[in-house]
Amino acid sequence: MIETNNNSTAPEYIFLVCLKYNKRILTKQPKQMTNHPTGNSINVFNLNELIENIKTLDKYMPSKLALQLPQLQQLYSKGTWHLEEVLKKKNTWSICVDTRQERYKSLGAFCSRIVGIMSGTNASPADIENAKSIVKKLKGIRLHKPNKKDIPNPEDPEAKKERSISRASFDSMYECFADLVSLLSMTEGYEPLNPEFTLEALELLKDQLLQANFSIDTAIANINTARINRNEFLYTEETGLVDIALHAKKYIKGVYGATSLEFKDINKIRFKNFR
């Protein structure tokens, strides 16, 4: 038998190497996909944890109204409402993105059908050629659908750039379609009998495409407003949720002492200001 450098025979050596390799594969843990809550959510959730701990403290009797238990509970309820409002606005934005994508995705093919329909009317060859040029330009536009994980954020320059690229692609396609409809409205002899290709139907489609673009702007504005309201509620100095929670922790520290078991548990509950 062939001897290896480690005094094992070749078959034994190969077996040991394979065993070690397979063990390494089996014991290697796959990377876990995590979905961590945001800092805003953590602040609100931690307030609930603080409230539950306060319920067990018989010496918790602050004279300041904002620190009293009923007010803290109301503060938590309002905090969750603000989180939900932002989430609702994000979901509305996602629906608007999908709706716009659905309206525009087959527009190129539909416009090609319009050119075919023109051949069955009394439209002039010159008008048909002009329509072909517009449709060719329209079909050359590449639509940029926003990434669902990149919810619009006015403070993120990259997100703003991506939004501009996406908006420009849909605006350009709308403008081409509007040019085509305008051409058809001035084309003598364009009187199709197919209902979906009449000027009235095309004008309606044009309005729907424009509204699909505008709905994105409205959705983004609503997200930004909800974020501003949430941040003001959470981080306004002295009256924001985080500052009130921190004052409650300081009060507990004063009542029970920094080395007390009561405060040690409370001190583990973290709050972070983002302002």
Side-chain angles (χ1 to χ4, degrees), residues 14 22 77 83 90 105 111 122 150 165 181 217 223 226 259:
I14 293 172
N22 288 333
S77 296
L83 295 179
K90 289 179 179 179
K105 70 178 183 180
C111 289
N122 294 314
D150 298 327
I165 295 173
V181 174
D217 297 334
I223 291 175
T259 60

Side-chain angles (χ1 to χ4, degrees), residues 38 40-41 44 78-79 81-91 93-94 147-157 159-160 163 216-236 274-275:
T38 65
N40 302 306
S41 301
V44 176
K78 291 179 181 178
W81 181 85
H82 278 288
L83 295 179
E84 289 169 1
E85 278 299 294
V86 173
L87 183 59
K88 287 177 183 177
K89 298 301 186 290
K90 289 179 179 179
N91 289 337
W93 174 81
S94 296
N147 193 328
K148 287 298 185 64
K149 68 180 180 180
D150 298 327
I151 298 295
N153 186 342
E155 299 176 359
D156 185 353
K160 185 176 181 180
R163 204 159 61 241
I216 302 294
D217 297 334
T218 302
I220 291 174
N222 289 338
I223 291 175
N224 293 340
T225 299
R227 281 174 170 158
I228 290 170
N229 293 338
R230 176 203 62 197
N231 292 345
E232 287 180 351
F233 178 80
L234 294 179
Y235 305 119
T236 297
F274 296 94
R275 61 170 183 244

